[in-house]
Amino acid sequence: MRLTNNAFPTTQRHWLTASLLLLLTLLSTALHADTNVRASVDRNRLSMDETLTLSLTADSMLFSEEPEVAALENDFHILNRQQSSRTNIVNGKISSSRQWDYTLAPKREGDLTIPAITMGNKQTKAISIRVTPSNSARRQNTDNRQVW
């Protein structure tokens, strides 16, 4: 039996399409409600001539919101951005995640804060970072000292 466009009257097709869209919207909303987001760094202490990697993770590959990272540019240069997705199946249980990695270089010395990052309707926690003078500046200061 071959179905043609006349197999479903126009009103039935519209209701079917609307029902499928509603189902997909509800499913997407339910999946986002369970999504956790988090931020982590590969180091909390660095010098002015080093970089750190900030990783933002959403515990669902279906999470489609881009992180709002403009506030990072107050204290850091964003040198690189990468995005990846991961799916794991262990003993029949499926888990997935999306991750955004940012390579950051500090703009100044001192105690800096990576602010809470908004991801969709969720937020990460702020992270404290200590930035020390560059290694070359420290070496230059010790080279200029006179020893008697």
Side-chain angles (χ1 to χ4, degrees):
M1 177 175 175
R2 191 173 133 205
L3 294 177
T4 63
N5 283 344
N6 294 332
F8 293 105
T10 303
T11 54
Q12 281 184 324
R13 276 186 286 181
H14 288 292
W15 279 107
L16 182 61
T17 302
S19 298
L20 286 173
L21 285 174
L22 179 62
L23 179 64
L24 289 173
T25 302
L26 291 174
L27 180 61
S28 175
T29 302
L31 290 172
H32 276 132
D34 259 359
T35 300
N36 293 314
V37 297
R38 65 186 171 281
S40 62
V41 290
D42 64 342
R43 62 177 78 195
N44 290 85
R45 186 180 181 99
L46 70 155
S47 67
M48 282 296 294
D49 56 356
E50 296 178 314
T51 62
L52 65 87
T53 301
L54 168 66
S55 296
L56 304 174
T57 306
D59 289 337
S60 172
M61 195 167 58
L62 298 177
F63 189 86
S64 60
E65 304 290 330
E66 288 293 319
E68 296 175 20
V69 296
L72 288 173
E73 297 187 82
N74 293 334
D75 290 326
F76 298 94
H77 298 283
I78 301 174
L79 303 179
N80 190 28
R81 303 167 193 244
Q82 294 180 329
Q83 182 181 332
S84 60
S85 300
R86 173 181 295 169
T87 301
N88 295 319
I89 303 171
V90 178
N91 295 329
K93 184 177 179 188
I94 300 173
S95 63
S96 64
S97 65
R98 281 184 75 187
Q99 182 168 311
W100 294 262
D101 291 321
Y102 298 87
T103 303
L104 305 178
K107 290 183 176 180
R108 62 183 176 86
E109 298 173 13
D111 293 326
L112 307 180
T113 300
I114 293 175
I117 304 291
T118 301
M119 298 173 68
N121 61 354
K122 310 268 182 171
Q123 260 194 341
T124 66
K125 293 181 180 177
I127 300 173
S128 297
I129 304 293
R130 171 150 301 170
V131 180
T132 60
S134 68
N135 290 329
S136 60
R138 278 189 291 219
R139 261 185 270 148
Q140 188 176 37
N141 287 340
T142 59
D143 289 345
N144 291 336
R145 281 192 270 162
Q146 292 181 348
V147 179
W148 299 98

